[in-house]
Amino acid sequence: MTAIDPAVASQIDAAFDYRGHVTVTLKDGKIIEGYIYHRNLDERFGEPCLEMFPKDKDERLVIPAQNVKSVALTGKDFAEAFVPPPKK
């Protein structure tokens, strides 16, 4: 089994905690935007992977963590408290 880059593991963890869409770039160049609803980075519990719902598609993807090049937080965080703009 190929070791996961610690920086990528950290990005996956941050994306899991984020409540918005993220952009996952795979090592083969494919880019997937969507929501990560599960991740396992501990080899004791099976193959390290992330699971996500791709944006605008009715499917679930399971992506081996070793195939992930990077993960960016790109969408609105829906858990962020709404603060109305100041009145003028």
Side-chain angles (χ1 to χ4, degrees), residues 7-78:
V8 172
S10 178
Q11 292 171 5
I12 291 171
D13 279 337
F16 176 73
D17 291 336
Y18 191 68
R19 297 296 176 217
H21 282 174
V22 300
T23 300
V24 177
T25 302
L26 302 179
K27 291 179 179 176
D28 67 4
K30 185 175 181 181
I31 296 174
I32 306 166
E33 185 179 354
Y35 177 76
I36 295 177
Y37 66 90
H38 178 75
R39 53 78 174 92
N40 167 39
L41 300 177
D42 190 333
E43 292 181 2
R44 296 177 297 168
F45 303 111
E47 180 180 6
C49 65
L50 59 93
E51 297 179 53
M52 67 186 298
F53 296 111
K55 182 179 178 181
D56 301 327
K57 292 186 181 176
D58 188 24
E59 64 180 301
R60 296 178 184 198
L61 296 178
V62 177
I63 303 169
Q66 68 185 13
N67 294 350
V68 177
K69 180 178 179 181
S70 66
V71 181
L73 310 180
T74 54
K76 177 185 181 334
D77 182 351
F78 290 98

